[in-house]
Amino acid sequence: MVKLTMIARVTDGLPLAEGLDDGRDMPDSEFYKQQVKALFKNLSRGQNEASRMSVETGPYVFHYIIEGRVCYLTMCDRAYPKKLAFQYLEDLRNEFERVNGNQIETAARPYAFIKFDTFIQKTKKLYQDTRTQRNISKLNDELYEVHQIMTRNVQEVLGVGEKLDQVSQMSSRLTSDTRIYADKARDLNRQALIKKYAPVAIVIGVVILFLWLKNKIW
């Protein structure tokens, strides 16, 4: 059964549309939505180059396709046929490109195409029951194959992004620490110069003051 459906722009991970009724029967739907957003973030960095992939997460599987710099993703039960999941995504892609194709690049706010939910819900209903004659025919369609689509684990996929984030954070901290140490070094040098030349400056100042006073008196 299809549980969640989300569509996002790959270049920056901006969510464009989602199934509004998705996840209402799932107490932990927000947890999986956060995983989806993390996947979109990874894709925006170009970390997963496969245009089609399945990602296992708990009792579910994320299936996604990338076309025209847009990612179409659905989450299904593990028992749900992979072939139907990807055909469902293809139907969404065809309609989304037809209706919104020329506006995708200029979309500036999240869920700019939220009205696409109507088509998502209508299409999802067609795919929910795998025993209908329509879906049985799709499963038997030998022209549409999904055997070569890679399946990975969500920890493996998201772990790549987490490690890169950690490296980035460490780099930022090192840069910040370097600046702090450089500032402290400049302060120490300044203080050393003051300690070294202050007595000389004081003596010179006293001599100048003495000569000035002497000239005034005489």
Side-chain angles (χ1 to χ4, degrees):
M1 181 177 288
V2 176
K3 296 292 186 179
L4 298 174
T5 304
M6 298 182 74
I7 301 172
R9 191 166 58 198
V10 174
T11 50
D12 56 5
L14 182 74
L16 302 174
E18 72 172 71
L20 295 180
D21 292 334
D22 290 357
R24 289 190 176 182
D25 60 337
M26 297 169 52
D28 47 2
S29 62
E30 282 305 314
F31 169 76
Y32 291 106
K33 285 184 178 180
Q34 288 304 314
Q35 284 192 336
V36 173
K37 291 176 181 177
L39 282 171
F40 288 154
K41 185 178 179 182
N42 275 14
L43 291 172
S44 71
R45 296 170 178 159
Q47 290 173 15
N48 296 312
E49 297 180 358
S51 61
R52 281 160 174 72
M53 185 180 287
S54 296
V55 182
E56 296 175 340
T57 174
Y60 308 109
V61 182
F62 295 129
H63 303 285
Y64 74 74
I65 64 175
I66 298 175
E67 291 287 347
R69 288 183 287 187
V70 176
C71 180
Y72 305 84
L73 181 147
T74 187
M75 186 180 80
C76 307
D77 295 312
R78 287 202 180 211
Y80 190 80
K82 187 174 184 178
K83 199 169 191 177
L84 286 183
F86 279 96
Q87 288 180 314
Y88 166 66
L89 293 174
E90 292 286 358
D91 286 353
L92 296 185
R93 177 186 70 84
N94 291 334
E95 182 65 10
F96 193 80
E97 285 183 352
R98 186 186 70 81
V99 176
N100 304 308
N102 60 349
Q103 304 173 58
I104 293 171
E105 290 300 319
T106 57
R109 58 184 176 82
Y111 304 105
F113 309 108
I114 199 65
K115 291 182 180 179
F116 192 70
D117 166 67
T118 302
F119 184 82
I120 291 175
Q121 299 303 330
K122 182 176 70 174
T123 308
K124 187 170 70 172
K125 287 179 181 178
L126 296 175
Y127 281 88
Q128 291 293 53
D129 188 351
T130 60
R131 298 167 297 178
T132 64
Q133 186 59 46
R134 173 185 178 279
N135 288 335
I136 290 174
S137 297
K138 285 183 173 293
L139 286 170
N140 292 330
D141 183 3
E142 296 181 359
L143 297 177
Y144 193 89
E145 289 298 334
V146 295
H147 298 302
Q148 295 181 348
I149 295 176
M150 187 185 303
T151 299
R152 297 177 66 186
N153 183 273
V154 71
Q155 280 80 20
E156 179 187 0
V157 174
L158 295 184
V160 174
E162 289 172 359
K163 288 174 184 176
L164 288 177
D165 280 344
Q166 290 171 3
V167 171
S168 176
Q169 290 170 8
M170 289 176 63
S171 176
S172 297
R173 284 198 296 270
L174 286 171
T175 301
S176 177
D177 290 345
T178 300
R179 289 173 181 167
I180 292 172
Y181 292 143
D183 290 341
K184 287 183 176 179
R186 281 194 293 269
D187 289 339
L188 289 173
N189 287 335
R190 193 179 301 114
Q191 291 173 16
L193 288 172
I194 290 172
K195 287 180 180 179
K196 182 177 181 180
Y197 294 107
V200 177
I202 291 171
V203 170
I204 293 173
V206 169
V207 171
I208 292 172
L209 179 62
F210 175 76
L211 293 174
W212 181 77
L213 290 173
K214 183 178 178 182
N215 290 332
K216 282 290 185 181
I217 294 172
W218 296 100

